Amino acid sequence: MSNKSVIDTAGAVRSGEELDIPALSSWVAKNLPKITGTPEVTQYSGGASNWTYRLEFENDDLILRRPPSGTRAKGAHDMGREYNLQKALSPFFRYVPDMRAYCGDEDVIGAEFYLMQRVAGIIPRKNLPRGVNLSPKQVRVLCTNVLDTLIDLHKVDYKSAGLESLGVGEGYAKRQIEGWSKRYRNARTWNVPRGEKIMKWLAHNLPEHERLCITHNDFRFDNVVLDENNPTEVIGVLDWELATIGDPLMDVGNMLAYWVQADDDYLARSTRRQPTTLEGMLTRAEVIDYYHDAMGFEKQNFAFYEVYGLFRLSAIAQQIYYRYHHKQTRNPAFKNFWILIHYLHHRCRKLMKGKA
């Protein structure tokens, strides 16, 4: 039986982030003429990047994604790239939402945007919604289904999908280490580690053999959608902004940086954003084994990929903290991010020494 109360829903539109409904409705009428009525507009509060809205029409239910206000940097918030990527990928990967239309004319609502079909379901955030009670056995099925979804993506033949232009190609790992090292140095404040030993270690331990595939680069439980009637089944994958042609093991390393397990220390558990501590979830070590077995990859020292994921996360957090430190944002949630940076670097150093 359907349980509508567990489906992820949007809320009131934030002040200053309203859409120009008449202009949007006029554009939709011209470009999607089968849609009728004026949309009821709500907004999703999650995520710190692109703004995401739900448009409920009389005969359709769409999601609108646009960049945040004031951002015009194509590399960071390229809606056309995100739209075209998903449209090209959808015949090869069934978890991509149905793309409906793209608008590159910023005069319509003040920014480029695209529309896609809403995938109604459960988004597994820090805790599963009230009313979704899974046994340890069901949790294990959910966990492996989520991992299998990433594995399915990594097995897509990106050349057959016509997605070669999505990334630069060989040298991906080197570019990532150089890029994230530069971002960390540029955003560093006085109260966080220099991180030079970690950056040097990563540069000196680049993988000798680099595989390339489509990588999501933000693959987490809270970016998948689960079936409301069978919460162990994945029906959608969201937030493709960072997807590229990259190293699949680095994609796994990124995912594991967010993977808090039940026996982690207090600091790690305080950062948890997904339900990976539930009884039945795989540990990080089990995830690495499961992934290698499923992909047919030879087992190897995974430390480089885990250190990379943790260091990358520290750079992301530091970029956010830099804005707080310099009073560019006053969000109190960012106040103690500097402590998190210390902790993530501590984890990196343990892995580098083989003690994790």
Side-chain angles (χ1 to χ4, degrees), residues 287-304:
V287 169
I288 293 166
D289 286 344
Y290 184 90
Y291 179 86
H292 278 78
D293 288 343
M295 292 294 287
F297 291 171
E298 188 179 335
K299 297 280 171 43
Q300 58 183 304
N301 182 358
F302 203 78
F304 170 83

Side-chain angles (χ1 to χ4, degrees), residues 69 73 81 90 123 163 181 201 259 274 315 344:
S69 180
R81 179 184 186 275
S90 64
I123 294 184
L163 289 169
S181 296
W201 185 90
W259 196 287
Q274 46 188 355
L344 291 170

